[in-house]
C-alpha cells in the first residue's frame, strides 16, 4: 500500500450538511473528513471489522481545520487523504476537501492508538503498523 494522496470519499453535498446560510456548515467539513478517516482506518486494518480487531482502535486527539471556499447543496465533493506521519502509537492525517477542481478545506488530525478493553494507549497491531509504514 503506497499513499501519497488517496481519495477516500466522493459524493455531493447533502441537504443535512447545509446550514442556515445556504452552504455546508463548518462541522460538516469535519464530518466528511471523519468519513475519510474511517475509510483509511478500515484499509490499514486490512478490511477487518471492529469485532475482529481485538480492541485495537484510535482516538483523534487534535484537529486543525481550514475553511477556504464554500460549497453548496449538490456540489460535488471529494476527500483526498495523506498519511503525513506515524510511529508505533500515533499517526497524522491530512484531508484535502475539494469541489469542482478547487481546494475547499483542509482537516489535519493527530491520532493516538488505544485499546477498547482497558482504554489505555498501546502500540498498533503489527499488521496495522506495517501497513501504515508502507503508506508513508
Amino acid at each position: 500500500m503506497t499513499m501519497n494522496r488517496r481519495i477516500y470519499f466522493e459524493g455531493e453535498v447533502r441537504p443535512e450538511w447545509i446550514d442556515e446560510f445556504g452552504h455546508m456548515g463548518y462541522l460538516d467539513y469535519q464530518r466528511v473528513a471523519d468519513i475519510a478517516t474511517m475509510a483509511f482506518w478500515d484499509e490499514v486494518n486490512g478490511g477487518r471489522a471492529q469485532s475482529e480487531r481485538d480492541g485495537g482502535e484510535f482516538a483523534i486527539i487534535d484537529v486543525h481545520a481550514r475553511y477556504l471556499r464554500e460549497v453548496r447543496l449538490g456540489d460535488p465533493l471529494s476527500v483526498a487523504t495523506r498519511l503525513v506521519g506515524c510511529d508505533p502509537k500515533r499517526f497524522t492525517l491530512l484531508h484535502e476537501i475539494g469541489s469542482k477542481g478547487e481546494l475547499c478545506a483542509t482537516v489535519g488530525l493527530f491520532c493516538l492508538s488505544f485499546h477498547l478493553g482497558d482504554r489505555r494507549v498501546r502500540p498498533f497491531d503489527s499488521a496495522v503498523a506495517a501497513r501504515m509504514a508502507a503508506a508513508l
Side-chain angles (χ1 to χ4, degrees), residues 72-106:
R72 301 178 63 113
L73 180 63
D75 283 350
L77 208 56
S78 66
V79 181
T81 300
R82 182 179 327 200
L83 178 63
V84 177
C86 65
D87 68 21
K89 296 180 183 177
R90 298 174 290 218
F91 67 94
T92 303
L93 293 179
L94 177 63
H95 297 295
E96 297 173 331
I97 302 172
S99 181
K100 302 176 185 174
E102 293 190 41
L103 183 62
C104 301
T106 62

PDB file of all heavy atoms in Angstrom, residues 72-106:
ATOM      1  N   ARG A  72     -21.937  24.299  -1.679  1.00  0.00           N
ATOM      2  CA  ARG A  72     -23.384  24.411  -1.506  1.00  0.00           C
ATOM      3  C   ARG A  72     -24.058  23.085  -1.826  1.00  0.00           C
ATOM      4  O   ARG A  72     -23.431  22.176  -2.377  1.00  0.00           O
ATOM      5  CB  ARG A  72     -23.906  25.542  -2.385  1.00  0.00           C
ATOM      6  CG  ARG A  72     -23.242  26.897  -2.021  1.00  0.00           C
ATOM      7  CD  ARG A  72     -23.712  28.001  -2.915  1.00  0.00           C
ATOM      8  NE  ARG A  72     -25.141  28.190  -2.716  1.00  0.00           N
ATOM      9  CZ  ARG A  72     -25.692  29.273  -2.185  1.00  0.00           C
ATOM     10  NH1 ARG A  72     -24.933  30.272  -1.822  1.00  0.00           N
ATOM     11  NH2 ARG A  72     -26.987  29.363  -2.045  1.00  0.00           N
ATOM     12  N   LEU A  73     -25.328  23.013  -1.526  1.00  0.00           N
ATOM     13  CA  LEU A  73     -26.115  21.806  -1.745  1.00  0.00           C
ATOM     14  C   LEU A  73     -25.910  21.267  -3.154  1.00  0.00           C
ATOM     15  O   LEU A  73     -26.009  22.004  -4.136  1.00  0.00           O
ATOM     16  CB  LEU A  73     -27.604  22.107  -1.521  1.00  0.00           C
ATOM     17  CG  LEU A  73     -28.558  20.929  -1.707  1.00  0.00           C
ATOM     18  CD1 LEU A  73     -28.261  19.833  -0.698  1.00  0.00           C
ATOM     19  CD2 LEU A  73     -29.999  21.400  -1.578  1.00  0.00           C
ATOM     20  N   GLY A  74     -25.598  19.973  -3.235  1.00  0.00           N
ATOM     21  CA  GLY A  74     -25.450  19.295  -4.516  1.00  0.00           C
ATOM     22  C   GLY A  74     -24.083  19.434  -5.160  1.00  0.00           C
ATOM     23  O   GLY A  74     -23.806  18.759  -6.152  1.00  0.00           O
ATOM     24  N   ASP A  75     -23.225  20.305  -4.639  1.00  0.00           N
ATOM     25  CA  ASP A  75     -21.876  20.428  -5.210  1.00  0.00           C
ATOM     26  C   ASP A  75     -21.136  19.105  -5.071  1.00  0.00           C
ATOM     27  O   ASP A  75     -21.265  18.409  -4.055  1.00  0.00           O
ATOM     28  CB  ASP A  75     -21.060  21.509  -4.495  1.00  0.00           C
ATOM     29  CG  ASP A  75     -21.425  22.921  -4.904  1.00  0.00           C
ATOM     30  OD1 ASP A  75     -22.187  23.095  -5.886  1.00  0.00           O
ATOM     31  OD2 ASP A  75     -20.950  23.865  -4.241  1.00  0.00           O
ATOM     32  N   PRO A  76     -20.328  18.759  -6.076  1.00  0.00           N
ATOM     33  CA  PRO A  76     -19.506  17.554  -5.943  1.00  0.00           C
ATOM     34  C   PRO A  76     -18.473  17.769  -4.845  1.00  0.00           C
ATOM     35  O   PRO A  76     -18.023  18.897  -4.609  1.00  0.00           O
ATOM     36  CB  PRO A  76     -18.849  17.409  -7.310  1.00  0.00           C
ATOM     37  CG  PRO A  76     -18.857  18.788  -7.878  1.00  0.00           C
ATOM     38  CD  PRO A  76     -20.083  19.470  -7.325  1.00  0.00           C
ATOM     39  N   LEU A  77     -18.104  16.690  -4.192  1.00  0.00           N
ATOM     40  CA  LEU A  77     -17.175  16.782  -3.071  1.00  0.00           C
ATOM     41  C   LEU A  77     -16.287  15.549  -3.072  1.00  0.00           C
ATOM     42  O   LEU A  77     -16.757  14.435  -3.329  1.00  0.00           O
ATOM     43  CB  LEU A  77     -17.992  16.814  -1.777  1.00  0.00           C
ATOM     44  CG  LEU A  77     -17.456  17.506  -0.562  1.00  0.00           C
ATOM     45  CD1 LEU A  77     -17.110  18.963  -0.842  1.00  0.00           C
ATOM     46  CD2 LEU A  77     -18.479  17.429   0.559  1.00  0.00           C
ATOM     47  N   SER A  78     -15.009  15.752  -2.810  1.00  0.00           N
ATOM     48  CA  SER A  78     -14.102  14.617  -2.658  1.00  0.00           C
ATOM     49  C   SER A  78     -13.131  14.917  -1.537  1.00  0.00           C
ATOM     50  O   SER A  78     -12.860  16.075  -1.222  1.00  0.00           O
ATOM     51  CB  SER A  78     -13.340  14.328  -3.953  1.00  0.00           C
ATOM     52  OG  SER A  78     -12.476  15.404  -4.252  1.00  0.00           O
ATOM     53  N   VAL A  79     -12.624  13.849  -0.927  1.00  0.00           N
ATOM     54  CA  VAL A  79     -11.628  13.994   0.133  1.00  0.00           C
ATOM     55  C   VAL A  79     -10.409  13.175  -0.254  1.00  0.00           C
ATOM     56  O   VAL A  79     -10.488  11.944  -0.370  1.00  0.00           O
ATOM     57  CB  VAL A  79     -12.157  13.525   1.507  1.00  0.00           C
ATOM     58  CG1 VAL A  79     -11.081  13.721   2.574  1.00  0.00           C
ATOM     59  CG2 VAL A  79     -13.430  14.264   1.885  1.00  0.00           C
ATOM     60  N   ALA A  80      -9.299  13.878  -0.472  1.00  0.00           N
ATOM     61  CA  ALA A  80      -8.016  13.231  -0.715  1.00  0.00           C
ATOM     62  C   ALA A  80      -7.267  13.208   0.608  1.00  0.00           C
ATOM     63  O   ALA A  80      -7.142  14.235   1.278  1.00  0.00           O
ATOM     64  CB  ALA A  80      -7.222  13.997  -1.763  1.00  0.00           C
ATOM     65  N   THR A  81      -6.801  12.040   0.989  1.00  0.00           N
ATOM     66  CA  THR A  81      -6.182  11.851   2.295  1.00  0.00           C
ATOM     67  C   THR A  81      -4.725  11.450   2.128  1.00  0.00           C
ATOM     68  O   THR A  81      -4.387  10.661   1.256  1.00  0.00           O
ATOM     69  CB  THR A  81      -6.941  10.763   3.079  1.00  0.00           C
ATOM     70  OG1 THR A  81      -8.297  11.186   3.228  1.00  0.00           O
ATOM     71  CG2 THR A  81      -6.330  10.505   4.435  1.00  0.00           C
ATOM     72  N   ARG A  82      -3.907  12.002   3.001  1.00  0.00           N
ATOM     73  CA  ARG A  82      -2.477  11.685   3.008  1.00  0.00           C
ATOM     74  C   ARG A  82      -2.070  11.332   4.438  1.00  0.00           C
ATOM     75  O   ARG A  82      -2.383  12.078   5.374  1.00  0.00           O
ATOM     76  CB  ARG A  82      -1.701  12.911   2.539  1.00  0.00           C
ATOM     77  CG  ARG A  82      -0.234  12.741   2.441  1.00  0.00           C
ATOM     78  CD  ARG A  82       0.397  13.996   1.947  1.00  0.00           C
ATOM     79  NE  ARG A  82      -0.517  14.650   1.014  1.00  0.00           N
ATOM     80  CZ  ARG A  82      -0.170  15.544   0.125  1.00  0.00           C
ATOM     81  NH1 ARG A  82       1.062  15.912   0.027  1.00  0.00           N
ATOM     82  NH2 ARG A  82      -1.048  16.092  -0.671  1.00  0.00           N
ATOM     83  N   LEU A  83      -1.380  10.214   4.586  1.00  0.00           N
ATOM     84  CA  LEU A  83      -0.769   9.876   5.863  1.00  0.00           C
ATOM     85  C   LEU A  83       0.526  10.683   5.933  1.00  0.00           C
ATOM     86  O   LEU A  83       1.446  10.471   5.143  1.00  0.00           O
ATOM     87  CB  LEU A  83      -0.481   8.380   5.953  1.00  0.00           C
ATOM     88  CG  LEU A  83       0.208   7.893   7.218  1.00  0.00           C
ATOM     89  CD1 LEU A  83      -0.661   8.126   8.452  1.00  0.00           C
ATOM     90  CD2 LEU A  83       0.567   6.423   7.089  1.00  0.00           C
ATOM     91  N   VAL A  84       0.585  11.621   6.858  1.00  0.00           N
ATOM     92  CA  VAL A  84       1.725  12.534   6.953  1.00  0.00           C
ATOM     93  C   VAL A  84       2.851  11.924   7.775  1.00  0.00           C
ATOM     94  O   VAL A  84       4.030  12.136   7.495  1.00  0.00           O
ATOM     95  CB  VAL A  84       1.281  13.881   7.548  1.00  0.00           C
ATOM     96  CG1 VAL A  84       2.444  14.827   7.728  1.00  0.00           C
ATOM     97  CG2 VAL A  84       0.200  14.516   6.677  1.00  0.00           C
ATOM     98  N   GLY A  85       2.492  11.158   8.796  1.00  0.00           N
ATOM     99  CA  GLY A  85       3.499  10.539   9.642  1.00  0.00           C
ATOM    100  C   GLY A  85       2.874   9.520  10.562  1.00  0.00           C
ATOM    101  O   GLY A  85       1.667   9.527  10.785  1.00  0.00           O
ATOM    102  N   CYS A  86       3.724   8.627  11.066  1.00  0.00           N
ATOM    103  CA  CYS A  86       3.237   7.641  12.033  1.00  0.00           C
ATOM    104  C   CYS A  86       4.419   7.098  12.823  1.00  0.00           C
ATOM    105  O   CYS A  86       5.570   7.171  12.385  1.00  0.00           O
ATOM    106  CB  CYS A  86       2.476   6.510  11.347  1.00  0.00           C
ATOM    107  SG  CYS A  86       3.462   5.476  10.249  1.00  0.00           S
ATOM    108  N   ASP A  87       4.124   6.576  13.990  1.00  0.00           N
ATOM    109  CA  ASP A  87       5.080   5.828  14.798  1.00  0.00           C
ATOM    110  C   ASP A  87       4.285   4.693  15.445  1.00  0.00           C
ATOM    111  O   ASP A  87       3.111   4.504  15.107  1.00  0.00           O
ATOM    112  CB  ASP A  87       5.811   6.748  15.785  1.00  0.00           C
ATOM    113  CG  ASP A  87       4.952   7.316  16.898  1.00  0.00           C
ATOM    114  OD1 ASP A  87       3.882   6.752  17.212  1.00  0.00           O
ATOM    115  OD2 ASP A  87       5.354   8.330  17.481  1.00  0.00           O
ATOM    116  N   PRO A  88       4.856   3.916  16.321  1.00  0.00           N
ATOM    117  CA  PRO A  88       4.127   2.750  16.852  1.00  0.00           C
ATOM    118  C   PRO A  88       2.817   3.049  17.577  1.00  0.00           C
ATOM    119  O   PRO A  88       1.978   2.161  17.722  1.00  0.00           O
ATOM    120  CB  PRO A  88       5.141   2.106  17.804  1.00  0.00           C
ATOM    121  CG  PRO A  88       6.464   2.478  17.226  1.00  0.00           C
ATOM    122  CD  PRO A  88       6.269   3.886  16.719  1.00  0.00           C
ATOM    123  N   LYS A  89       2.606   4.314  18.019  1.00  0.00           N
ATOM    124  CA  LYS A  89       1.393   4.634  18.777  1.00  0.00           C
ATOM    125  C   LYS A  89       0.604   5.813  18.231  1.00  0.00           C
ATOM    126  O   LYS A  89      -0.435   6.163  18.775  1.00  0.00           O
ATOM    127  CB  LYS A  89       1.746   4.942  20.238  1.00  0.00           C
ATOM    128  CG  LYS A  89       2.345   3.770  20.982  1.00  0.00           C
ATOM    129  CD  LYS A  89       2.664   4.156  22.400  1.00  0.00           C
ATOM    130  CE  LYS A  89       3.332   3.012  23.128  1.00  0.00           C
ATOM    131  NZ  LYS A  89       3.715   3.402  24.494  1.00  0.00           N
ATOM    132  N   ARG A  90       1.089   6.475  17.177  1.00  0.00           N
ATOM    133  CA  ARG A  90       0.431   7.693  16.688  1.00  0.00           C
ATOM    134  C   ARG A  90       0.441   7.739  15.170  1.00  0.00           C
ATOM    135  O   ARG A  90       1.310   7.152  14.529  1.00  0.00           O
ATOM    136  CB  ARG A  90       1.174   8.931  17.206  1.00  0.00           C
ATOM    137  CG  ARG A  90       1.189   9.051  18.686  1.00  0.00           C
ATOM    138  CD  ARG A  90       2.064  10.196  19.107  1.00  0.00           C
ATOM    139  NE  ARG A  90       3.461   9.838  18.828  1.00  0.00           N
ATOM    140  CZ  ARG A  90       4.480  10.145  19.599  1.00  0.00           C
ATOM    141  NH1 ARG A  90       4.294  10.848  20.679  1.00  0.00           N
ATOM    142  NH2 ARG A  90       5.697   9.779  19.296  1.00  0.00           N
ATOM    143  N   PHE A  91      -0.521   8.491  14.622  1.00  0.00           N
ATOM    144  CA  PHE A  91      -0.466   8.822  13.199  1.00  0.00           C
ATOM    145  C   PHE A  91      -1.104  10.181  12.965  1.00  0.00           C
ATOM    146  O   PHE A  91      -1.924  10.647  13.748  1.00  0.00           O
ATOM    147  CB  PHE A  91      -1.096   7.737  12.313  1.00  0.00           C
ATOM    148  CG  PHE A  91      -2.584   7.532  12.448  1.00  0.00           C
ATOM    149  CD1 PHE A  91      -3.473   8.190  11.606  1.00  0.00           C
ATOM    150  CD2 PHE A  91      -3.104   6.653  13.377  1.00  0.00           C
ATOM    151  CE1 PHE A  91      -4.841   7.983  11.702  1.00  0.00           C
ATOM    152  CE2 PHE A  91      -4.464   6.427  13.486  1.00  0.00           C
ATOM    153  CZ  PHE A  91      -5.334   7.100  12.644  1.00  0.00           C
ATOM    154  N   THR A  92      -0.681  10.813  11.880  1.00  0.00           N
ATOM    155  CA  THR A  92      -1.189  12.118  11.484  1.00  0.00           C
ATOM    156  C   THR A  92      -1.719  12.019  10.063  1.00  0.00           C
ATOM    157  O   THR A  92      -1.023  11.516   9.176  1.00  0.00           O
ATOM    158  CB  THR A  92      -0.077  13.185  11.556  1.00  0.00           C
ATOM    159  OG1 THR A  92       0.445  13.213  12.881  1.00  0.00           O
ATOM    160  CG2 THR A  92      -0.607  14.548  11.181  1.00  0.00           C
ATOM    161  N   LEU A  93      -2.947  12.491   9.864  1.00  0.00           N
ATOM    162  CA  LEU A  93      -3.570  12.515   8.538  1.00  0.00           C
ATOM    163  C   LEU A  93      -3.829  13.949   8.121  1.00  0.00           C
ATOM    164  O   LEU A  93      -4.144  14.799   8.958  1.00  0.00           O
ATOM    165  CB  LEU A  93      -4.924  11.792   8.548  1.00  0.00           C
ATOM    166  CG  LEU A  93      -4.952  10.296   8.771  1.00  0.00           C
ATOM    167  CD1 LEU A  93      -6.403   9.796   8.776  1.00  0.00           C
ATOM    168  CD2 LEU A  93      -4.157   9.559   7.716  1.00  0.00           C
ATOM    169  N   LEU A  94      -3.745  14.190   6.821  1.00  0.00           N
ATOM    170  CA  LEU A  94      -4.177  15.453   6.247  1.00  0.00           C
ATOM    171  C   LEU A  94      -5.236  15.146   5.206  1.00  0.00           C
ATOM    172  O   LEU A  94      -4.975  14.404   4.257  1.00  0.00           O
ATOM    173  CB  LEU A  94      -3.015  16.209   5.592  1.00  0.00           C
ATOM    174  CG  LEU A  94      -3.426  17.511   4.898  1.00  0.00           C
ATOM    175  CD1 LEU A  94      -3.993  18.517   5.902  1.00  0.00           C
ATOM    176  CD2 LEU A  94      -2.260  18.103   4.137  1.00  0.00           C
ATOM    177  N   HIS A  95      -6.433  15.691   5.414  1.00  0.00           N
ATOM    178  CA  HIS A  95      -7.525  15.551   4.458  1.00  0.00           C
ATOM    179  C   HIS A  95      -7.641  16.851   3.670  1.00  0.00           C
ATOM    180  O   HIS A  95      -7.686  17.933   4.266  1.00  0.00           O
ATOM    181  CB  HIS A  95      -8.859  15.307   5.174  1.00  0.00           C
ATOM    182  CG  HIS A  95      -8.919  14.045   5.966  1.00  0.00           C
ATOM    183  ND1 HIS A  95      -8.839  12.801   5.395  1.00  0.00           N
ATOM    184  CD2 HIS A  95      -9.053  13.842   7.306  1.00  0.00           C
ATOM    185  CE1 HIS A  95      -8.947  11.883   6.336  1.00  0.00           C
ATOM    186  NE2 HIS A  95      -9.064  12.491   7.505  1.00  0.00           N
ATOM    187  N   GLU A  96      -7.706  16.727   2.352  1.00  0.00           N
ATOM    188  CA  GLU A  96      -7.939  17.876   1.475  1.00  0.00           C
ATOM    189  C   GLU A  96      -9.310  17.700   0.860  1.00  0.00           C
ATOM    190  O   GLU A  96      -9.543  16.760   0.098  1.00  0.00           O
ATOM    191  CB  GLU A  96      -6.861  17.955   0.400  1.00  0.00           C
ATOM    192  CG  GLU A  96      -5.480  18.171   0.986  1.00  0.00           C
ATOM    193  CD  GLU A  96      -4.381  18.073  -0.045  1.00  0.00           C
ATOM    194  OE1 GLU A  96      -4.539  17.340  -1.055  1.00  0.00           O
ATOM    195  OE2 GLU A  96      -3.348  18.730   0.149  1.00  0.00           O
ATOM    196  N   ILE A  97     -10.230  18.582   1.208  1.00  0.00           N
ATOM    197  CA  ILE A  97     -11.610  18.501   0.739  1.00  0.00           C
ATOM    198  C   ILE A  97     -11.743  19.436  -0.452  1.00  0.00           C
ATOM    199  O   ILE A  97     -11.469  20.639  -0.344  1.00  0.00           O
ATOM    200  CB  ILE A  97     -12.599  18.875   1.859  1.00  0.00           C
ATOM    201  CG1 ILE A  97     -12.395  17.934   3.054  1.00  0.00           C
ATOM    202  CG2 ILE A  97     -14.036  18.837   1.349  1.00  0.00           C
ATOM    203  CD1 ILE A  97     -13.166  18.323   4.295  1.00  0.00           C
ATOM    204  N   GLY A  98     -12.152  18.863  -1.569  1.00  0.00           N
ATOM    205  CA  GLY A  98     -12.231  19.643  -2.792  1.00  0.00           C
ATOM    206  C   GLY A  98     -13.580  19.549  -3.469  1.00  0.00           C
ATOM    207  O   GLY A  98     -14.366  18.635  -3.227  1.00  0.00           O
ATOM    208  N   SER A  99     -13.837  20.542  -4.332  1.00  0.00           N
ATOM    209  CA  SER A  99     -15.052  20.580  -5.141  1.00  0.00           C
ATOM    210  C   SER A  99     -14.747  21.333  -6.430  1.00  0.00           C
ATOM    211  O   SER A  99     -14.114  22.391  -6.394  1.00  0.00           O
ATOM    212  CB  SER A  99     -16.185  21.278  -4.382  1.00  0.00           C
ATOM    213  OG  SER A  99     -17.368  21.286  -5.155  1.00  0.00           O
ATOM    214  N   LYS A 100     -15.176  20.761  -7.536  1.00  0.00           N
ATOM    215  CA  LYS A 100     -15.032  21.410  -8.844  1.00  0.00           C
ATOM    216  C   LYS A 100     -13.581  21.806  -9.125  1.00  0.00           C
ATOM    217  O   LYS A 100     -13.297  22.871  -9.655  1.00  0.00           O
ATOM    218  CB  LYS A 100     -15.954  22.623  -8.954  1.00  0.00           C
ATOM    219  CG  LYS A 100     -17.421  22.298  -8.753  1.00  0.00           C
ATOM    220  CD  LYS A 100     -18.262  23.559  -8.774  1.00  0.00           C
ATOM    221  CE  LYS A 100     -19.701  23.229  -8.446  1.00  0.00           C
ATOM    222  NZ  LYS A 100     -20.521  24.435  -8.308  1.00  0.00           N
ATOM    223  N   GLY A 101     -12.653  20.939  -8.733  1.00  0.00           N
ATOM    224  CA  GLY A 101     -11.247  21.176  -9.007  1.00  0.00           C
ATOM    225  C   GLY A 101     -10.561  22.173  -8.094  1.00  0.00           C
ATOM    226  O   GLY A 101      -9.403  22.521  -8.323  1.00  0.00           O
ATOM    227  N   GLU A 102     -11.249  22.642  -7.062  1.00  0.00           N
ATOM    228  CA  GLU A 102     -10.665  23.616  -6.142  1.00  0.00           C
ATOM    229  C   GLU A 102     -10.615  23.061  -4.731  1.00  0.00           C
ATOM    230  O   GLU A 102     -11.516  22.340  -4.300  1.00  0.00           O
ATOM    231  CB  GLU A 102     -11.477  24.910  -6.145  1.00  0.00           C
ATOM    232  CG  GLU A 102     -11.418  25.661  -7.461  1.00  0.00           C
ATOM    233  CD  GLU A 102     -12.039  27.034  -7.344  1.00  0.00           C
ATOM    234  OE1 GLU A 102     -11.813  27.694  -6.318  1.00  0.00           O
ATOM    235  OE2 GLU A 102     -12.765  27.414  -8.262  1.00  0.00           O
ATOM    236  N   LEU A 103      -9.571  23.426  -4.006  1.00  0.00           N
ATOM    237  CA  LEU A 103      -9.445  23.056  -2.608  1.00  0.00           C
ATOM    238  C   LEU A 103     -10.395  23.923  -1.776  1.00  0.00           C
ATOM    239  O   LEU A 103     -10.353  25.144  -1.857  1.00  0.00           O
ATOM    240  CB  LEU A 103      -7.998  23.261  -2.138  1.00  0.00           C
ATOM    241  CG  LEU A 103      -7.680  22.848  -0.718  1.00  0.00           C
ATOM    242  CD1 LEU A 103      -7.917  21.347  -0.514  1.00  0.00           C
ATOM    243  CD2 LEU A 103      -6.239  23.210  -0.389  1.00  0.00           C
ATOM    244  N   CYS A 104     -11.261  23.269  -1.000  1.00  0.00           N
ATOM    245  CA  CYS A 104     -12.268  23.989  -0.211  1.00  0.00           C
ATOM    246  C   CYS A 104     -11.931  24.027   1.279  1.00  0.00           C
ATOM    247  O   CYS A 104     -12.306  24.968   1.969  1.00  0.00           O
ATOM    248  CB  CYS A 104     -13.633  23.342  -0.393  1.00  0.00           C
ATOM    249  SG  CYS A 104     -14.174  23.326  -2.096  1.00  0.00           S
ATOM    250  N   ALA A 105     -11.273  23.000   1.748  1.00  0.00           N
ATOM    251  CA  ALA A 105     -10.936  22.932   3.172  1.00  0.00           C
ATOM    252  C   ALA A 105      -9.838  21.899   3.374  1.00  0.00           C
ATOM    253  O   ALA A 105      -9.663  20.998   2.549  1.00  0.00           O
ATOM    254  CB  ALA A 105     -12.164  22.546   3.996  1.00  0.00           C
ATOM    255  N   THR A 106      -9.121  22.045   4.470  1.00  0.00           N
ATOM    256  CA  THR A 106      -8.204  21.003   4.911  1.00  0.00           C
ATOM    257  C   THR A 106      -8.534  20.677   6.357  1.00  0.00           C
ATOM    258  O   THR A 106      -8.937  21.551   7.133  1.00  0.00           O
ATOM    259  CB  THR A 106      -6.725  21.424   4.811  1.00  0.00           C
ATOM    260  OG1 THR A 106      -6.488  22.541   5.647  1.00  0.00           O
ATOM    261  CG2 THR A 106      -6.337  21.740   3.372  1.00  0.00           C
TER     262      THR A 106
END
